[in-house]
Amino acid sequence: MRIRSLGVIDDAVVELSPGFTAVTGETGAGKTMVVTSLGLLLGGRADPALVRIGAKAAVVEGRVTVPEGSGAAVRAEEAGAELDDGALLISRTISAEGRSRAHLGGRSVPISLLGELAEELVAVHGQTDQQGLLKPARQRQALDRYAGDAVAVPLAKYAAAYRRLRAVSAELDEITTRARERAQEADLLRFGLDEISAVEPRAGEDTELAAEAERLGHAEALASAASTAHAALAGNPEDPEGVDAGALAAAAHRALDTVRSYDPALSGLADRVGEIGILLADVAGDLAGYADDLDSDPLRLAAVEERRAALTQLTRKYGEDVTSVLDWAEQSAARLGELEGDDERIGELTGERDALSGELGELAQALTEARTEAAERFAAAVTAELASLAMPHARVSIDIRQTEVSEDADGVEVAARRVAYTATGVDDVELLLAPHPGAPPRPIAKGASGGELSRVMLAVEVVFAGSDPVPTYLFDEVDAGVGGKAAVEVGRRLARLARSAQVVVVTHLPQVAAFADRQLLVEKTNDGSVTRSGVKALEGEERVRELSRMLAGQEDSETARAHAEELLEAARADG
């Protein structure tokens, strides 16, 4: 990795051994930045506060070897990345303003893709992970992860049944707890539909009746106007001397007709006057027919107004017009059908809930059995690891139990008992430790000292390494609280793990660092920064000096130097 402008690191190159690399240095020298840099390459959260003061951006670049044909290689190639002789070039840039960019194999990619690849490439273990494993929920997750498909398959079936049961139960509760509200809603809908049914409105009827009422209300005025207009066009029989438009048009046509042969232009005008006479006669006839057909029946007008009043009552309550009222009636009839079917629906849901509850109990039992079998193997494997970590008499066990509930409480039947259940089953999982013979098993959070807890957690992580292997493991000061012979055993165990995978350890313990194939020293310059030369691989005398400092705080102490050389010699002999 190359790290630039990140925290205290100005510009440094970190070369990791294919086997076991130990990263050491004074407190505050920047060892954590090495871990942070790797985290950034693996898609970790970018914090602009990490950018070195005065720099525009922090940059971390890394070259990661990926197995050919592996899921990580395939996923990277799908994203357009190019492999360089079996390796991926990864780059992560964080600006001081908070923007973050990622490049993979020369191609810009979403940062989330780095996280996907990380799951197959690197396993990071730190003190935060240790604290997390103290929680029962995390311990259950750890056991499930160790068990693999033996638990994953029944858990997936259980989770599907659980989701369906919760959905059915929620719908059933909604129907039953709102029964009174739904009954009131049904009564209101039924009343409205009955009211509309009694009137029997037709679409557009309100518009038609409004026009008819307007016509009937002004029948006399309309008849008088039509008669007057007819008389003006066709004459009044009671007034033979009166002049009408039809007679005048006829006279005009006769006058022109007598001379039309003398001038074609006048002939055209004569034709147009003749057309006017014909049109006047047609309009006069229509006016006479309109006046004859006009209904001025007061009874009909009263009936129309009564019908309009009935429709107005409906439009006040159910819609702006009759068409809207009919739409409301259609929707309400459908809703009423749903509400009236509640009893039948309650029966269906109750039956389905009971069937799902029974099925969930059976799946929970299968899940418990799978976890119990995996727990025995997991506990035995961790106990075996503890023996190689200077805890030969310690015993780890896993307590799997259920919480019984009363008959009227929410629960499922498992092995003739009614127990509480969650989305992950009915099991409470807790890791127990008996540090020595005769000691009762107790939860690791209560039964282990700081050093014992670190070794238990390291043993758990090593067991995970065997069941869920990845190419690289990073341990960030997981050896805290360990010293003496136990520290030597921790170093020896990490060295063994490094025979099958790349192991990177950030440590303060010389007993651990002595077992490393390569030891990297992180040190600051006088101005408080870590430069390119500030991360260097230690060889020969330099490594002895660093181990002496770690042992006694004094690089030139003859006693510390002798002890450091002895540690290195013992580590080489063990390898």
Side-chain angles (χ1 to χ4, degrees), residues 128-151:
T128 301
D129 301 277
Q130 288 187 0
Q131 295 302 316
L133 276 173
L134 295 179
K135 301 176 182 178
R138 286 289 300 276
Q139 292 174 17
R140 178 195 52 73
Q141 293 172 2
L143 176 61
D144 289 354
R145 175 183 161 197
Y146 172 81
D149 288 345
V151 165

Side-chain angles (χ1 to χ4, degrees), residues 434-474:
H436 52 80
R442 299 184 64 194
I444 56 173
K446 301 176 181 178
S449 65
E452 289 171 339
L453 180 60
S454 291
R455 280 177 281 173
V456 171
M457 292 305 154
L458 180 58
V460 168
E461 289 158 349
V462 170
V463 170
F464 277 151
S467 62
D468 187 20
V470 293
T472 300
Y473 295 90
L474 173 62

